[in-house]
Amino acid sequence: QLRCTHVTIVTDSYHQPRARLVAKAIGLSAKSASPGWRGTHTLTQIKQVFREFLALPVYAMKLAKLRLRGRL
């Protein structure tokens, strides 16, 4: 059992929305921090953002199912 309710998630910026969604689903208030995009190739950035854009609604649906089943 966690005793904290506020966390800081350190991850790449394109992962932040999904990481914060999961934190919220388990009852945590989350801030996020990430390194800058400097040094990352533009094509890599586009791929990662697109992947996360598609993954976010999928994760939201999975979390909703877990909540309905009482697993969250």
Side-chain angles (χ1 to χ4, degrees):
Q1 183 72 23
L2 295 174
R3 292 185 181 186
C4 66
T5 57
H6 302 283
V7 296
T8 300
I9 300 168
V10 180
T11 187
D12 291 314
S13 57
Y14 49 85
H15 286 272
Q16 286 182 10
R18 191 161 41 132
R20 292 177 71 177
L21 177 71
V22 172
K24 184 176 180 179
I26 62 172
L28 297 172
S29 173
K31 292 182 181 181
S32 53
S34 64
W37 288 91
R38 199 170 106 191
T40 306
H41 296 289
T42 303
L43 184 58
T44 300
Q45 292 176 12
I46 292 168
K47 287 179 184 178
Q48 297 298 344
V49 169
F50 183 68
R51 187 178 128 243
E52 289 298 315
F53 176 77
L54 296 175
L56 189 60
V58 172
Y59 249 65
M61 289 187 320
K62 287 181 178 182
L63 291 169
K65 283 182 184 179
L66 289 172
R67 193 174 299 120
L68 286 173
R69 293 179 181 161
R71 292 183 170 175
L72 274 182

